Amino acid sequence: MLGAEPEIIDTYVNSGQVKIIFWHVLDHATASLNSHAAADCIGQQSVDAYWLIHDQFFADQNELWDADRDYFVNAAATVGVDQATFEQCYDSGVGQANVTRLDAIRRQQGILTRPTFDINGTLLFGAQRFAVFAEAIEAALGQ
């Protein structure tokens, strides 16, 4: 997605034809659960902060294997969300419950790994070129 994402945004999202929705897929055990839960708790405070942390976690994904609570608290602080609110969400298990529920829905739909893209029921597995996305999007739009 990262390679094709700017062109998808320029061509379809900015024109209002397509909306990109990120769904959590917990495919790396505890590392996935904790990082996605942290992102969820951040996103509950700010959509902009969510995307900042999403990009940061993606860029630094090797650090997530050994990340502990303090790592995620510090990460939340770097994107400017309220630390006490973040900690309450993370420590209470609210974020973990949210991402586990979303992951279960995706698994029922046959989505078990990343990256997987669901374009109105058409599943694309793995990284794809823009042309592949465009074909699926145009078909979904009836064009």
Side-chain angles (χ1 to χ4, degrees):
M1 177 71 174
L2 290 178
E5 184 177 18
E7 197 168 358
I8 292 169
I9 291 170
D10 287 345
T11 305
Y12 298 106
V13 175
N14 290 342
S15 67
Q17 297 177 81
V18 168
K19 184 177 185 179
I20 295 175
I21 300 171
F22 179 84
W23 280 67
H24 304 279
V25 176
L26 306 178
D27 58 350
H28 292 295
T30 303
S32 285
L33 178 61
N34 292 337
S35 59
H36 285 274
D40 183 80
C41 290
I42 289 167
Q44 289 180 37
Q45 293 188 53
S46 166
V47 172
D48 291 336
Y50 172 85
W51 286 109
L52 288 172
I53 205 65
H54 171 274
D55 293 347
Q56 180 182 322
F57 285 172
F58 189 83
D60 300 331
Q61 58 189 288
N62 288 335
E63 292 181 28
L64 300 176
W65 290 105
D66 297 319
D68 59 10
R69 179 189 181 280
D70 289 341
Y71 176 89
F72 295 115
V73 170
N74 291 331
T78 67
V79 294
V81 297
D82 180 75
Q83 183 173 335
T85 302
F86 171 82
E87 289 182 49
Q88 193 283 325
C89 176
Y90 189 81
D91 293 342
S92 70
V94 168
Q96 290 86 344
N98 286 341
V99 299
T100 299
R101 179 182 55 78
L102 293 172
D103 180 65
I105 292 168
R106 300 311 270 173
R107 289 179 182 282
Q108 290 172 351
Q109 297 169 332
I111 298 173
L112 308 175
T113 61
R114 296 173 286 149
T116 301
F117 307 93
D118 181 346
I119 302 172
N120 281 4
T122 297
L123 298 181
L124 302 176
F125 298 95
Q128 302 290 332
R129 295 172 300 134
F130 172 76
V132 175
F133 284 107
E135 183 179 333
I137 291 168
E138 296 290 332
L141 293 173
Q143 298 179 358

